[in-house]
Amino acid sequence: MAVKSVALVAHDNKKKELVDWVADNRTRFAPLKLYATGTTGRLLRDNLERNDIHCLLSGPLGGDQQIGAKIAEGEIDLLVFFWDPLEPQPHDPDIKALLRIAALWNIPVACNRATAEFILTSAYMTDDRHQPKKPDFSDYTGRSVSA
Ligand SMILES: O=C(CO)COP(=O)(O)O
């Protein structure tokens, strides 16, 4: 079975919810390759005693953009992003950019625990025959533009 890569990101008020959810699903997460923004990743590492989590920069310091770049490069199969709907964030443009790039590249995104549960327990998680359709941007990249 191909190893799926999951990016885990949570805003401060949502970090406990994310860490608890991942801990509750430890067995399902065991075979998955995990990426996380800096602080989320540190908490996951400490609480799950998993030292193989690829921790990027903290979100406001560029971590959201690093995850977005990995999505664009085809390295991420699922984004779990518990963003905080009750608190403004200084790096709001980065958050929008991350959600945009995930939508653009047709990556499944869970923004709350209910959705994350549906996706994590989906048969598609372990079925190599299922691959989300890769978008075809050839019309866009090949468009005529005058220099
Ligand atoms: O701010 C974040 C996502 O927008 C998360 O970053 P941290 O995991 O570093 O707190």
Side-chain angles (χ1 to χ4, degrees):
M1 189 178 77
V3 176
K4 285 213 175 350
S5 294
V6 181
L8 298 162
V9 185
H11 288 151
D12 284 3
N13 295 331
K14 296 294 215 170
K15 283 184 168 66
K16 182 174 175 1
E17 194 179 348
L18 181 70
V19 170
D20 287 351
W21 174 68
V22 176
D24 289 349
N25 289 281
R26 197 180 294 260
T27 314
R28 287 185 194 274
F29 272 99
L32 302 174
K33 188 171 177 183
L34 302 184
Y35 291 88
T37 47
T39 319
T40 304
R42 173 163 54 83
L43 290 175
L44 286 165
R45 241 185 354 212
D46 293 350
N47 284 275
L48 300 175
E49 286 159 16
R50 257 188 89 152
N51 50 20
D52 61 344
I53 298 173
H54 297 78
C55 292
L56 303 166
L57 293 170
S58 181
L61 304 182
D64 287 21
Q65 296 202 32
Q66 287 180 299
I67 302 242
K70 289 196 176 297
I71 290 172
E73 288 165 358
E75 288 180 46
I76 303 290
D77 299 296
L78 163 64
L79 171 63
V80 178
F81 185 0
F82 288 5
W83 56 269
D84 186 350
L86 288 176
E87 194 166 81
Q89 303 289 327
H91 57 306
D92 191 54
D94 299 28
I95 296 162
K96 283 206 180 101
L98 174 53
L99 292 171
R100 178 187 170 275
I101 214 79
L104 181 75
W105 287 101
N106 193 28
I107 299 295
V109 179
C111 292
N112 57 34
R113 182 168 175 148
T115 313
E117 273 162 7
F118 268 94
I119 297 175
L120 192 69
T121 57
S122 163
Y124 287 163
M125 284 298 290
T126 49
D127 183 353
D128 283 342
R129 288 165 307 174
H130 172 78
Q131 292 298 330
K133 195 166 161 37
K134 270 212 163 139
D136 175 6
F137 296 121
S138 55
D139 281 355
Y140 176 75
T141 54
R143 74 196 184 285
S144 119
V145 187
S146 48

